[in-house]
Amino acid sequence: MAGCLAAAALLAACAQAPLRGTGDLGVVVERAAGRLQLVETTGARIIGQVPGLGDLSHASVVYSRDGRYAFVFGRDGGLTKVDLLRQAIEKRIIQAGNSIGGAISQDGRMVAAANYEPGGLKVFATDTLELLADIPATYGDGKKSAKVVGVADAPGNRFVYSLFEAGEIWVADLSDPKRPAVSKFRNIGKEPYDGLITPDGRYYMAGLFGEDGIALLDLWNPAAGVQRVLDGYGRGQEKLPVYKMPHLRGWAVAGTHAFLPAIGRHEVLVVDTVGWKESARIPVHGQPVFVMARPDGRQVWVNFAFPRNDTVQVIDAPSRRVVQTLKPGKAVLHMEFTPRGEQVWISVRDDDRVVVYDTASFASLKELPADKPSGIFFTTRAARIGF
Amino acid sequence: MAGCLAAAALLAACAQAPLRGTGDLGVVVERAAGRLQLVETTGARIIGQVPGLGDLSHASVVYSRDGRYAFVFGRDGGLTKVDLLRQAIEKRIIQAGNSIGGAISQDGRMVAAANYEPGGLKVFATDTLELLADIPATYGDGKKSAKVVGVADAPGNRFVYSLFEAGEIWVADLSDPKRPAVSKFRNIGKEPYDGLITPDGRYYMAGLFGEDGIALLDLWNPAAGVQRVLDGYGRGQEKLPVYKMPHLRGWAVAGTHAFLPAIGRHEVLVVDTVGWKESARIPVHGQPVFVMARPDGRQVWVNFAFPRNDTVQVIDAPSRRVVQTLKPGKAVLHMEFTPRGEQVWISVRDDDRVVVYDTASFASLKELPADKPSGIFFTTRAARIGF
């Protein structure tokens, strides 16, 4: 009888987590509630919630290579491993005082957290969240520590990131986690505030807060050092008011061109990635925040800074024209495409909802309730470089 | 007590299929045995087998968008839906007399089978395998039916394919499965024998058996019609003996260049995808069969036709030099990269094994036993266009 009860209890646990694939799952971050909504894109529906994740403002998420676990980097230094199948926290640690994001290694064995306070990069095992490596961001006389920003994964189990106060880009090779090999690129420009890696893992770019331009590192040719490109990029001569510094992760690469938010202007810049020169400017509705390519690169979707943040525009990539203007609602914060791009999910913070659009017809397909939603992250990111 | 037994029975079923993510799963086709080996790339190991799939020579596989189900297109016209989690056949139908491959729609709701005998495209619901649409490949006076080859998915729930005897490319829009809208491009060249779509879903290309050159359709500009490119591509003037017609799906697109097998020559061709002109030829070990780019595009891996099919070579994409020659064993048939490219799995038919290589060090990491393995297909394909 005891065996029967045990079997029944196990069965109950089993029944609570039915078998299912993880390729169509994702999370919506509810920033104020410190909670994740778990979603499934096939049915465009919410399948559960996981609360208790602390301060989730500016939270970012990466996925285990099997798509089962989300690693959530919170602003409060929390690193939480969430099981999407059991809909529960697997493990949660407070790894720093203040964190700005993270990345997962190519082999899926390590997650790296980029920290503000204290500055530095911490690397954890994905299975246990055990600390594997702690790389301080010391610079200058070796007594000062910089904020680490813009961490991205690169092929070869490397993490690439920028040191804000130091004006440096570091490449940490974690092939042997016990002996990280760090290459440092100095004098790359003043105050790098964010970074991204191109979808092919080749170029790392850091945006500069302290001056104009972008610092560019070709990871296929690191001996060439960091180059300065797009000298006009940044606040520019006119010192326009900037309502929100755009995320560099919001850049889109479609074919041989990158589409990126102009800073302080109602424009999207088009840059030829062969030579990294500006080739066009597209007038848009407001100051762009995220400029994201649909997975096939045919469309580029743009959201905007306050006070024009009720709108999303769609640019046709080959003709470089705005072909659609949508009004999802008050305070559009983030967008995420389904794996093959037939839908886009848009978080509308002040209307407490996520709106799902068909990217071919631009029809609104569904609205899902969410409490002040911000980032949306689908498991497809597990299989992609630089996410 | 009966309830207890029922609970125990259910529990046993539950225990047989433990909860797990599907992002790191895949199958290895055992062609002669009509069986799939189910594999997991995180541990580089075999997790099970599913037999009873009929004739699997030249079988191809696509995945449901959640990564749970494999759809296997057999040469014998069989279409089998396999559940990777329960490790069992979910449903199997014989849908035609002779089939050459298939594709899955962007929204994941339909699979399309390209048939030799009788010719035509059949479209099935992924949930039930119910027939949704049957599009005969009639041409000329409307009484003849062509073999359908080179079917690929395109954004907008379209399937693009070629008609061998007719020399036509058809684009079938299945947005409304009950009313397929078919656009026909005629006189595209003699005897298209295979086709592929570029990773961005923009270009469909058909190789021609009956003459030199490639038929190219720009799906972003279908009004321009089908263009002929690479006029020298094909058997060419010298009529070299061709041991095996290379698969067009074996083309690699890395950055702005495509790497493709020369037909009948010991060369890989490099083609500038802006203008589709040949820009270089790389001498290699034998007649190339598959020419595949690592997901980051930095490396291109090549296998070869009989009698040089014990070898694999690796080309460094930017320098266009062969940087490594490996000898995996007798009769290398196929290669598949892990989602972010840190490993490649290679099937070695006549040595009855799959060899897993580290793509950075070229070290052989593991050998897995398999009975005459041919195609290897990982679930990552679910999230990609043209797979």
Side-chain angles (χ1 to χ4, degrees):
Chain A
M1 194 62 196
C4 181
L5 282 176
L10 274 168
L11 183 58
C14 169
Q16 279 166 19
L19 282 186
R20 58 158 304 144
T22 50
D24 58 349
L25 299 185
V27 303
V28 176
V29 173
E30 295 181 315
R31 53 193 289 168
R35 186 171 57 186
L36 298 183
Q37 293 282 349
L38 309 188
V39 298
E40 175 226 88
T41 62
T42 300
R45 64 194 185 93
I46 292 168
I47 60 168
Q49 291 80 29
V50 177
L53 278 83
D55 180 358
L56 291 183
S57 52
H58 283 93
S60 66
V61 176
V62 299
Y63 285 98
S64 62
R65 70 196 298 291
D66 62 359
R68 176 172 180 176
Y69 299 100
F71 297 90
V72 184
F73 303 91
R75 191 57 173 266
D76 58 1
L79 168 58
T80 313
K81 180 178 180 180
V82 175
D83 184 342
L84 301 188
L85 292 177
R86 292 196 191 278
Q87 305 192 353
I89 291 175
E90 181 89 1
K91 188 157 188 185
R92 174 170 164 80
I93 60 172
I94 300 294
Q95 57 85 27
N98 192 330
S99 172
I100 193 62
I104 186 163
S105 63
Q106 184 184 32
D107 66 7
R109 289 186 190 158
M110 298 168 279
V111 285
N115 292 325
Y116 266 20
E117 187 52 47
L121 192 81
K122 282 189 179 174
V123 180
F124 302 89
T126 45
D127 51 358
T128 60
L129 296 192
E130 176 201 355
L131 182 68
L132 297 177
D134 186 350
I135 307 173
T138 48
Y139 68 100
D141 61 6
K143 289 174 188 161
K144 288 179 287 187
S145 180
K147 295 185 188 73
V148 171
V149 298
V151 63
D153 62 281
N157 289 318
R158 291 176 298 172
F159 295 109
V160 190
Y161 51 98
S162 297
L163 279 62
F164 181 78
E165 294 86 350
E168 298 184 3
I169 293 173
W170 289 13
V171 181
D173 183 336
L174 273 290
S175 297
D176 179 356
K178 287 175 189 159
R179 269 180 290 245
V182 181
S183 306
K184 301 176 183 179
F185 297 85
R186 302 186 202 275
N187 302 314
I188 62 105
K190 282 184 194 157
E191 299 176 336
Y193 71 95
D194 197 6
L196 72 85
I197 205 159
T198 51
D200 59 4
R202 176 167 183 176
Y203 296 104
Y204 179 80
M205 280 171 284
L208 302 174
F209 190 76
E211 56 189 302
D212 278 353
I214 295 281
L216 176 79
L217 175 60
D218 181 354
L219 294 165
W220 292 9
N221 186 18
V226 172
Q227 316 290 318
R228 182 70 59 87
V229 297
L230 297 175
D231 273 339
Y233 192 71
R235 290 176 178 240
Q237 301 281 327
E238 293 174 45
K239 301 293 181 203
L240 294 167
V242 178
Y243 293 106
K244 179 173 172 57
M245 284 300 278
H247 289 268
L248 255 73
R249 300 274 175 119
W251 288 25
V253 178
T256 59
H257 286 81
F259 292 73
L260 52 143
I263 295 178
R265 296 171 189 279
H266 294 197
E267 290 171 345
V268 166
L269 307 186
V270 184
V271 173
D272 187 344
T273 60
V274 182
W276 294 99
K277 302 281 183 203
E278 184 183 319
S279 62
R281 291 180 175 233
I282 303 167
V284 290
H285 175 76
Q287 294 185 3
V289 177
F290 282 104
V291 176
M292 306 185 82
R294 199 171 68 173
D296 65 349
R298 176 66 199 259
Q299 294 175 349
V300 174
W301 289 59
V302 188
N303 74 334
F304 303 98
F306 178 85
R308 292 175 166 259
N309 57 351
D310 64 339
T311 298
V312 165
Q313 288 189 312
V314 184
I315 295 167
D316 177 64
S319 67
R320 298 175 183 175
R321 286 186 309 108
V322 171
V323 292
Q324 191 71 25
T325 298
L326 301 166
K327 299 278 181 190
K330 286 184 199 158
V332 170
L333 288 199
H334 197 223
M335 302 177 282
E336 179 88 335
F337 292 95
T338 51
R340 292 204 274 160
E342 73 277 16
Q343 296 174 0
V344 64
W345 290 42
I346 295 178
S347 58
V348 189
R349 186 191 59 201
D350 295 352
D351 284 340
D352 293 312
R353 66 185 178 192
V354 170
V355 186
V356 180
Y357 286 95
D358 181 311
T359 63
S361 68
F362 304 113
S364 163
L365 300 174
K366 203 140 179 188
E367 294 189 2
L368 304 172
D371 181 3
K372 307 283 172 241
S374 55
I376 306 174
F377 303 90
F378 295 153
T379 55
T380 328
R381 288 170 174 253
R384 294 190 174 155
I385 295 165
F387 276 95
Chain B
M1 194 63 195
C4 181
L5 283 175
L10 273 168
L11 183 59
C14 167
Q16 279 166 19
L19 281 186
R20 59 159 302 144
T22 49
D24 58 348
L25 299 184
V27 303
V28 175
V29 173
E30 296 181 316
R31 53 193 289 168
R35 186 171 58 187
L36 298 184
Q37 293 282 349
L38 308 189
V39 298
E40 176 225 88
T41 61
T42 300
R45 64 195 186 92
I46 293 167
I47 59 168
Q49 290 82 29
V50 177
L53 278 83
D55 179 359
L56 291 183
S57 53
H58 283 93
S60 66
V61 175
V62 298
Y63 285 98
S64 61
R65 70 197 298 289
D66 62 359
R68 176 172 180 176
Y69 300 100
F71 297 90
V72 185
F73 302 92
R75 192 57 173 266
D76 58 1
L79 169 57
T80 312
K81 180 178 179 180
V82 175
D83 183 342
L84 301 187
L85 292 176
R86 292 196 189 278
Q87 306 192 353
I89 290 174
E90 180 89 2
K91 188 157 188 185
R92 176 171 163 79
I93 60 172
I94 300 295
Q95 58 85 27
N98 192 330
S99 172
I100 193 62
I104 186 163
S105 63
Q106 185 185 32
D107 67 5
R109 291 186 188 159
M110 298 169 277
V111 286
N115 292 323
Y116 266 21
E117 187 53 47
L121 192 81
K122 283 188 178 174
V123 181
F124 302 88
T126 45
D127 52 357
T128 60
L129 297 192
E130 176 201 355
L131 183 67
L132 296 178
D134 187 350
I135 308 173
T138 48
Y139 68 100
D141 62 6
K143 290 174 187 161
K144 289 180 286 189
S145 181
K147 295 184 188 72
V148 171
V149 298
V151 62
D153 62 280
N157 289 318
R158 291 177 297 172
F159 295 110
V160 190
Y161 51 98
S162 298
L163 279 62
F164 181 77
E165 294 86 350
E168 298 183 3
I169 293 173
W170 290 13
V171 180
D173 183 335
L174 272 290
S175 297
D176 179 356
K178 287 176 188 160
R179 270 180 290 246
V182 182
S183 306
K184 301 177 184 179
F185 297 84
R186 303 187 201 274
N187 302 314
I188 62 104
K190 283 185 194 156
E191 299 176 337
Y193 71 95
D194 197 7
L196 71 84
I197 204 158
T198 50
D200 60 4
R202 176 168 184 175
Y203 296 105
Y204 178 81
M205 280 172 282
L208 302 174
F209 190 75
E211 56 189 302
D212 278 353
I214 295 281
L216 176 80
L217 175 60
D218 181 353
L219 294 165
W220 291 8
N221 186 18
V226 172
Q227 315 291 317
R228 183 71 59 85
V229 296
L230 297 175
D231 273 338
Y233 191 71
R235 290 178 180 238
Q237 301 282 326
E238 295 174 42
K239 301 290 180 205
L240 295 167
V242 177
Y243 292 105
K244 180 173 172 57
M245 285 299 279
H247 290 268
L248 254 73
R249 299 275 175 119
W251 287 23
V253 177
T256 59
H257 287 81
F259 293 73
L260 51 144
I263 295 178
R265 295 170 190 279
H266 295 197
E267 290 171 343
V268 166
L269 307 186
V270 185
V271 173
D272 187 344
T273 60
V274 182
W276 294 98
K277 302 281 182 203
E278 184 183 320
S279 62
R281 290 178 175 234
I282 303 168
V284 290
H285 175 77
Q287 294 186 3
V289 177
F290 281 104
V291 176
M292 306 184 81
R294 198 171 68 173
D296 65 350
R298 176 66 198 260
Q299 294 176 349
V300 175
W301 289 59
V302 188
N303 74 333
F304 302 99
F306 178 85
R308 292 175 165 257
N309 57 351
D310 65 339
T311 298
V312 165
Q313 287 189 314
V314 184
I315 294 168
D316 177 64
S319 66
R320 298 174 182 174
R321 286 187 308 110
V322 171
V323 292
Q324 190 72 24
T325 299
L326 301 166
K327 300 277 182 190
K330 286 183 197 158
V332 170
L333 288 199
H334 198 224
M335 302 177 283
E336 179 89 335
F337 292 94
T338 51
R340 291 204 274 161
E342 73 278 14
Q343 295 174 2
V344 64
W345 290 43
I346 295 178
S347 58
V348 189
R349 185 191 59 201
D350 295 351
D351 284 340
D352 293 313
R353 66 185 177 193
V354 170
V355 186
V356 180
Y357 286 94
D358 181 310
T359 64
S361 68
F362 304 113
S364 162
L365 299 174
K366 202 139 179 189
E367 295 189 2
L368 304 172
D371 181 4
K372 308 282 172 244
S374 55
I376 305 174
F377 304 90
F378 295 153
T379 54
T380 328
R381 289 170 174 253
R384 294 189 174 155
I385 296 165
F387 276 94

